[in-house]
Amino acid sequence: MEGKITLKDLAKMINISTSTISKALNDSPEISKKTKDRVKEIAALHHYRPNRLAQSLKNNKTKTIGVIIPEVLSQFFAMAVHGIETIANKNGYMVIICLSNESLRKEADSLDMMINANVEGVIMSLSKETQSLDDYSHFKNALRYKLPFVLFDRTSEKIECDKISINDELASLEATNYLIKMGRKKIVFLSTISGTSVGEKRKNGYVKEMQNHMFSEIILDINNYKDFETKLLNTIINNKIDGIVAADELSAVSSIKYALKHSFRIPEDISVIGFNNGRLGKSFVPSLTVVDQQAKKQGERAAEILIDRLEMRLMGGIKHEFLETTIIGRDSTLLKSRENK
Amino acid sequence: MEGKITLKDLAKMINISTSTISKALNDSPEISKKTKDRVKEIAALHHYRPNRLAQSLKNNKTKTIGVIIPEVLSQFFAMAVHGIETIANKNGYMVIICLSNESLRKEADSLDMMINANVEGVIMSLSKETQSLDDYSHFKNALRYKLPFVLFDRTSEKIECDKISINDELASLEATNYLIKMGRKKIVFLSTISGTSVGEKRKNGYVKEMQNHMFSEIILDINNYKDFETKLLNTIINNKIDGIVAADELSAVSSIKYALKHSFRIPEDISVIGFNNGRLGKSFVPSLTVVDQQAKKQGERAAEILIDRLEMRLMGGIKHEFLETTIIGRDSTLLKSRENK
DNA sequence: CTGAAAGCGCTTACAG
DNA sequence: CTGAAAGCGCTTACAG
């Protein structure tokens, strides 16, 4: 990057002080219309663009927000990023993204980088490792500087900041109930995100609803996709499973895949419901019934809340906002119309 | 963000000039070991972190690279971002991401933002609109400043910069050949990205290979997923389609979905091959045969090339690097073993 | 209405 | 080996 024109360059060209130029470009009332016009004309002519670095240093504002997410390959987080980016851009903020890859260390490093880069605030969803170790010491620095924070989806009560999520326990309870209402009794809760707040809450919701109906709980935690097929199959056979509540989209779809492979019919033999309304479940055959957790909206609200804080439109105590969820019924569960037959 | 400690603060504490402190922290040979130790100790004690804004302003280096992609919901771009982020972080660079949403205007705005934010270089994949209008005037500014650029996947010869991609024409030709070798003759080329460089090249590859075999070409461009089902179905029936080469992952999977819905068997009646080795195709039932375009690797190489340029490890003329593609045979095409039966 | 001066937090050539 | 000074490109309180 070379040859960028500066205020000083402009000043020399038209023999006006840099102070005046600066004020003119910023439309200060101190400056006469005539000068303003002249300055703006020459600035446009030479494609002058203020150096944001210098502005930031002076104003202590970088117009940049940091985003730290566990991964971007999951549709949920991609959708959230899309939401964040939309709102940020609309408000003139840039977005710096780091991926924690579910690692505490990487999350901490990313947070440090962002603090050093003077982001004005951070939006994040905690890594699996952070949540299972329950270790938030890497937030100390950020909190000391009063760096504004918004946590979404994978949140923690141990961090004092604004939060946005769905009510995971309730949503999972409703998902379980959705299968029960269709006459399913042997329902397994399948999770590849156990250890995360979200995973645990969804597990709780499932457990509660099963208990409400005096059904016995069947929990299947899978940490590695290599074990997926055998573990799932064993569980299905041993427990005569007729319903699956999966804690995310990919695992829901994968469970259908393997069930079909072993000649179980979906939804006739086994009904499946998953989380997140993404492309994967929508395109799948059979299409996946899901809890819509409004991924994009979560990202949007996270960004809105953060920016409202930054621009002082939102004052006062922190809050945890919960987004409504709905169940989108598709082919992986028995349809209501079929129930009556 | 408040109360960040500065060099000046440190200087006051231990009565040493800021110059010396700065040099000590940067391990300058000018400074005695004793002073260095003392300075480092006090810096650590107070969690001193240099203000990158100030450093950047002085050094004219921001250690930040910009990424502009059409969207992040597509697995291909998510995988590329993952690759970029990995390499960038390994080398101490931050990543600013903007989404063009396939719009020329948004792409231009993003580019401007990035220039203003003093990114050291930019990695991008062109928006659909940019490519179909063939309008690159928004690059003028960036090129004037000699901003280092790497284009990946959706590239253009009209922009002078390093590029990385696969050989789309060849890959598509091979994909078509893959179906032909299995005895397919009525093959349609299905694209939702016509107008992009990538879409056009893949179309050409398909056309060439069909002509090589004296088969008639059948092209189906779909601009809106609303028309997908009817358009596809008409084409299948009118042309007695027995093979589909789809230009991306989602459209490949969607074509299977609709074909199945209308009682065509996959792969027995129709073989389908798509582009990009992502989660969607891998999880799908039947699993999707794909051209692996090494999405993550494209991101990684793009970042490596850019950083090599920035750090002067890569000098001389620009180059276009092509990554090898392979076909990953799965259930959506007839398997070789079955051919022999 | 315009401009000189100071300062944001660093780095570095130069002097001592 | 240490420090005073200048400067990166801006903004803004202050003087005129």
Side-chain angles (χ1 to χ4, degrees):
Chain A
M1 203 102 98
E2 15 183 293
K4 263 198 167 183
I5 212 149
T6 70
L7 273 190
K8 225 200 235 172
D9 297 330
L10 249 33
K12 265 186 217 142
M13 290 179 196
I14 52 177
N15 250 312
I16 290 185
S17 76
T18 57
S19 344
T20 304
I21 305 236
S22 170
K23 287 176 196 161
L25 291 174
N26 291 316
D27 256 331
S28 155
E30 287 183 61
I31 306 298
S32 71
K33 173 139 184 4
K34 210 173 129 198
T35 319
K36 276 186 195 171
D37 289 347
R38 189 142 153 259
V39 168
K40 283 179 184 169
E41 194 190 323
I42 192 88
L45 188 64
H46 293 274
H47 302 95
Y48 170 74
R49 315 252 49 198
N51 183 330
R52 273 180 72 153
L53 243 37
Q55 286 183 318
S56 299
L57 185 61
K58 193 88 239 288
N59 302 335
N60 212 15
K61 289 239 185 310
T62 53
K63 280 281 193 176
T64 304
I65 66 187
V67 174
I68 306 176
I69 51 174
E71 52 159 342
V72 73
L73 295 180
S74 128
Q75 271 282 300
F76 174 78
F77 290 115
M79 290 164 87
V81 164
H82 184 45
I84 293 169
E85 217 270 349
T86 306
I87 298 299
N89 256 264
K90 191 177 290 172
N91 289 276
Y93 286 78
M94 310 216 62
V95 175
I96 290 184
I97 294 195
C98 286
L99 311 176
S100 67
N101 288 327
E102 304 288 14
S103 136
L104 169 59
R105 175 60 185 279
K106 184 91 198 300
E107 183 174 289
D109 288 350
S110 302
L111 201 47
D112 263 6
M113 276 186 95
M114 295 200 165
I115 295 175
N116 297 343
N118 297 73
V119 298
E120 293 190 42
V122 172
I123 294 173
M124 66 191 283
S125 193
L126 299 167
S127 85
K128 197 185 276 191
E129 197 184 1
T130 304
Q131 292 204 313
S132 31
L133 296 179
D134 206 31
D135 177 358
Y136 306 102
S137 50
H138 52 303
F139 279 83
K140 240 187 273 165
N141 240 321
L143 292 171
R144 172 176 29 233
Y145 298 134
K146 303 231 168 89
L147 181 70
F149 253 93
V150 180
L151 248 39
F152 76 96
D153 188 54
R154 298 201 200 151
T155 63
S156 166
E157 264 139 47
K158 303 215 176 140
I159 304 175
E160 265 201 50
C161 68
D162 291 311
K163 287 156 202 138
I164 174 125
S165 69
I166 58 170
N167 185 331
D168 285 285
E169 187 170 314
L170 179 62
S172 180
L173 186 148
E174 288 172 353
T176 309
N177 178 262
Y178 190 82
L179 298 189
I180 291 177
K181 275 197 308 195
M182 289 171 175
R184 300 311 190 175
K185 294 184 169 64
K186 302 287 203 175
I187 303 171
V188 61
F189 179 79
L190 168 65
S191 175
T192 54
I193 52 171
S194 111
T196 66
S197 59
V198 164
E200 295 308 309
K201 283 175 191 160
R202 291 178 192 170
K203 190 181 294 177
N204 293 343
Y206 156 84
V207 168
K208 273 197 189 168
E209 185 64 4
M210 291 298 271
Q211 289 176 347
N212 287 343
H213 290 265
M214 311 289 202
F215 294 157
S216 51
E217 310 134 32
I218 307 155
I219 309 263
L220 177 57
D221 282 330
I222 295 178
N223 298 312
N224 191 326
Y225 265 86
K226 291 203 173 115
D227 307 332
F228 204 113
E229 185 169 356
T230 41
K231 279 197 170 181
L232 177 66
L233 201 66
N234 287 341
T235 306
I236 289 180
I237 293 173
N238 295 341
N239 300 279
K240 302 212 172 73
I241 293 299
D242 61 10
I244 298 176
V245 176
D248 75 324
E249 193 178 7
L250 183 59
S251 66
V253 151
S254 303
S255 71
I256 298 181
K257 179 187 181 72
Y258 293 122
L260 288 174
K261 179 173 168 191
H262 292 279
S263 302
F264 294 96
R265 291 167 306 164
I266 311 287
E268 293 80 357
D269 299 330
I270 304 175
S271 296
V272 181
I273 186 167
F275 274 79
N276 191 39
N277 182 18
R279 287 181 181 177
L280 199 54
K282 201 181 290 174
S283 319
F284 210 75
V285 180
S287 58
L288 181 69
T289 294
V290 292
V291 175
D292 184 357
Q293 40 177 341
Q294 301 199 66
K296 188 179 173 202
K297 183 90 186 175
Q298 281 199 47
E300 288 172 350
R301 282 302 295 150
E304 280 167 2
I305 293 170
L306 183 63
I307 293 172
D308 279 351
R309 285 279 182 209
L310 296 178
E311 304 186 346
M312 306 295 192
R313 281 189 299 269
L314 179 60
M315 316 287 282
I318 59 170
K319 47 180 152 188
H320 189 153
E321 194 172 306
F322 290 91
L323 253 39
E324 294 282 317
T325 57
T326 49
I327 291 178
I328 301 180
R330 299 213 189 92
D331 298 340
S332 68
T333 50
L334 296 168
L335 297 171
K336 293 232 166 109
S337 58
R338 292 190 198 156
E339 270 183 307
N340 302 329
K341 283 182 195 167
Chain B
M1 204 105 97
E2 15 186 291
K4 264 198 169 182
I5 214 151
T6 70
L7 273 190
K8 224 200 237 168
D9 297 330
L10 249 34
K12 266 186 218 142
M13 291 178 195
I14 52 177
N15 250 314
I16 292 187
S17 76
T18 56
S19 341
T20 303
I21 306 236
S22 169
K23 287 176 196 162
L25 291 173
N26 291 316
D27 256 329
S28 156
E30 287 183 63
I31 307 297
S32 71
K33 172 137 182 11
K34 208 172 129 198
T35 319
K36 275 187 195 171
D37 289 347
R38 186 141 156 261
V39 168
K40 283 180 185 170
E41 194 190 323
I42 192 88
L45 187 66
H46 293 276
H47 303 95
Y48 171 74
R49 316 252 49 199
N51 183 330
R52 274 180 70 152
L53 243 37
Q55 287 182 316
S56 299
L57 185 60
K58 194 90 238 295
N59 304 334
N60 212 14
K61 289 242 186 304
T62 52
K63 281 281 193 178
T64 303
I65 65 187
V67 174
I68 306 176
I69 51 174
E71 52 159 340
V72 73
L73 295 181
S74 129
Q75 271 282 302
F76 173 78
F77 290 115
M79 291 163 86
V81 164
H82 184 45
I84 293 170
E85 216 270 347
T86 307
I87 297 299
N89 257 263
K90 190 177 291 169
N91 289 276
Y93 285 80
M94 310 216 61
V95 175
I96 290 184
I97 295 196
C98 286
L99 311 176
S100 68
N101 288 326
E102 304 287 16
S103 136
L104 169 60
R105 175 59 185 279
K106 184 92 196 302
E107 181 174 290
D109 288 350
S110 302
L111 200 48
D112 264 6
M113 275 184 96
M114 296 201 164
I115 295 174
N116 297 343
N118 297 72
V119 298
E120 292 189 41
V122 172
I123 295 173
M124 64 192 282
S125 191
L126 298 167
S127 85
K128 195 185 276 192
E129 197 185 0
T130 304
Q131 292 204 313
S132 34
L133 296 179
D134 206 29
D135 176 358
Y136 306 102
S137 49
H138 53 303
F139 280 83
K140 241 187 274 167
N141 242 320
L143 292 172
R144 171 176 28 232
Y145 298 133
K146 304 231 166 87
L147 181 70
F149 253 92
V150 180
L151 248 39
F152 76 95
D153 188 54
R154 298 199 200 156
T155 63
S156 166
E157 264 138 49
K158 304 215 175 139
I159 304 175
E160 265 201 48
C161 67
D162 291 310
K163 287 157 203 139
I164 173 125
S165 68
I166 58 170
N167 185 331
D168 285 287
E169 188 171 312
L170 180 62
S172 181
L173 187 148
E174 288 173 353
T176 309
N177 179 262
Y178 189 82
L179 298 189
I180 291 177
K181 274 197 309 197
M182 290 175 175
R184 299 313 191 172
K185 294 183 167 69
K186 302 286 203 175
I187 303 170
V188 61
F189 179 80
L190 169 64
S191 175
T192 54
I193 52 171
S194 110
T196 66
S197 58
V198 164
E200 296 308 310
K201 283 174 191 158
R202 291 179 190 168
K203 189 180 294 176
N204 293 343
Y206 155 85
V207 168
K208 273 197 187 165
E209 184 62 5
M210 291 298 272
Q211 288 175 349
N212 287 343
H213 291 265
M214 310 287 201
F215 294 156
S216 52
E217 310 133 30
I218 307 157
I219 309 263
L220 178 57
D221 282 330
I222 296 179
N223 298 312
N224 190 326
Y225 265 85
K226 291 206 172 110
D227 307 333
F228 203 113
E229 184 169 356
T230 41
K231 278 195 169 182
L232 176 67
L233 201 67
N234 287 340
T235 305
I236 289 180
I237 293 173
N238 295 340
N239 299 279
K240 302 213 172 71
I241 292 302
D242 60 11
I244 299 177
V245 175
D248 74 325
E249 193 178 7
L250 184 59
S251 66
V253 150
S254 302
S255 71
I256 298 181
K257 180 187 180 72
Y258 293 122
L260 289 174
K261 179 172 168 191
H262 292 281
S263 304
F264 294 96
R265 291 168 306 163
I266 311 289
E268 293 81 357
D269 300 330
I270 305 174
S271 296
V272 180
I273 186 168
F275 273 77
N276 190 39
N277 182 18
R279 287 182 180 177
L280 199 53
K282 201 181 291 174
S283 320
F284 210 74
V285 181
S287 58
L288 182 67
T289 294
V290 293
V291 175
D292 184 357
Q293 40 177 342
Q294 301 199 66
K296 190 179 172 202
K297 183 89 186 175
Q298 282 199 46
E300 287 172 351
R301 282 301 296 149
E304 281 166 3
I305 293 171
L306 183 64
I307 293 173
D308 279 351
R309 285 280 182 207
L310 296 178
E311 304 185 348
M312 306 296 190
R313 282 190 298 270
L314 179 60
M315 317 286 284
I318 59 169
K319 48 180 151 188
H320 189 153
E321 193 171 307
F322 291 91
L323 253 39
E324 293 282 316
T325 57
T326 49
I327 291 179
I328 300 180
R330 299 212 189 92
D331 299 340
S332 68
T333 50
L334 296 169
L335 297 171
K336 294 230 166 114
S337 58
R338 291 190 200 155
E339 268 183 309
N340 302 329
K341 284 179 194 170

